[in-house]
Amino acid sequence: MPCRTTTSEIWYLRKLLHYRPARSYEDLRTVDGHQYNTFREAAVALGIATADKEAIACLKEQSEHQTGVALRRLFVILALQGAEGQPMWDECVDELIEDLKPPHGTNVAITMALKHIQQMLYAHGRCLADIGMDNIHDGTTELDRLLNQWDTDELQRFVSDNVDVLTDEQRTAYDAVVDSVQQTSGRLIMLDAPGGTGKTFTTTLILAKLR
């Protein structure tokens, strides 16, 4: 099974490399003859890491380079990999709400951050209660959560940076789909082209624009 390379996995990879040498990633993930699927599982099996302690340390370290959305995404990744949510939240709440606190105040920022974390967990079929925290009522519907799962500022930057590099044919397809949606004309458009001609790139850009 291929090794996942999330930010948290890189953290555990480094812990293992400091602890012992290895000839391969598979060797590094093997403890007492059993090959684990992740570096985290191997580190815990060796006793050099505990999920909560190391997750908190990982968040603290990454807070020096990441804030806001990125840090809350890491929080969710760590929780989905087994770290308990409440200890991470209690120790790192200031870092997790840093981007929300100035304009909103502490109490509102906490609520907004918890809602954001809960929305990301929903995308994985989980909720705050599943990671050892109290659920928060956000008053949203499934459609609301679907609409709010994207960072619109990030999507707008992606569109602005890439729309001008479309080829003429890609731009024709892009404009046709976007115009059809924006004008609610209900056209059925099929994108068909040989491999390597940019179908995925064009489709990704269309989705970013519409979202």
Side-chain angles (χ1 to χ4, degrees):
M1 179 179 292
C3 173
R4 288 174 288 180
T5 55
T6 61
T7 302
S8 58
E9 275 294 271
I10 295 173
W11 167 268
Y12 290 110
L13 169 62
R14 186 172 62 190
K15 294 288 289 185
L16 287 166
L17 289 172
H18 278 298
Y19 185 75
R20 68 177 190 183
R23 295 178 181 276
S24 66
Y25 289 146
E26 291 76 14
D27 184 26
L28 202 58
R29 300 200 312 272
T30 301
V31 179
D32 295 331
H34 177 77
Q35 186 179 116
Y36 291 89
N37 292 330
T38 66
F39 295 127
R40 173 188 168 275
E41 292 173 343
V44 172
L46 281 169
I48 62 172
T50 59
D52 296 341
K53 179 181 177 181
E54 298 303 317
I56 291 168
C58 182
L59 277 171
K60 288 289 188 181
E61 179 179 287
Q62 289 302 310
S63 69
E64 298 176 5
H65 314 288
Q66 303 181 29
T67 58
V69 174
L71 204 60
R72 290 190 290 275
R73 285 175 181 159
L74 177 59
F75 179 97
V76 171
I77 290 171
L78 292 167
L80 291 173
Q81 292 184 347
E84 188 174 352
Q86 196 63 53
M88 288 195 296
W89 176 261
D90 291 341
E91 291 292 330
C92 304
V93 60
D94 290 338
E95 291 85 353
L96 290 165
I97 68 171
E98 183 179 354
D99 62 318
L100 301 171
K101 187 175 179 179
H104 301 289
T106 301
N107 292 336
V108 174
I110 287 174
T111 300
M112 293 177 67
L114 286 171
K115 286 183 177 180
H116 182 214
I117 290 170
Q118 185 158 265
Q119 287 169 356
M120 287 188 284
L121 287 169
Y122 282 151
H124 297 273
R126 308 287 291 278
C127 64
L128 288 172
D130 294 325
I131 62 170
M133 301 178 68
D134 292 331
N135 280 330
I136 183 169
H137 178 66
D138 59 13
T140 61
T141 64
E142 185 175 354
L143 176 60
D144 293 329
R145 293 192 291 271
L146 181 64
L147 293 174
N148 290 326
Q149 68 176 296
W150 296 292
D151 184 336
T152 53
D153 291 336
E154 183 178 331
L155 291 174
Q156 183 57 56
R157 284 193 294 271
F158 176 75
V159 172
S160 299
D161 291 343
N162 291 283
V163 69
D164 289 335
V165 304
L166 291 170
T167 67
D168 290 342
E169 290 184 336
Q170 290 171 342
R171 187 57 187 259
T172 297
Y174 172 89
D175 289 338
V177 175
V178 171
D179 290 344
S180 177
V181 174
Q182 291 180 339
Q183 297 174 15
T184 63
S185 57
R187 296 175 60 192
L188 178 62
I189 301 173
M190 299 183 67
L191 189 61
D192 183 26
T197 55
K199 294 189 299 297
T200 300
F201 172 69
T202 304
T203 303
T204 301
L205 197 59
I206 290 170
L207 291 171
K209 173 65 175 179
L210 297 177
R211 287 166 175 166

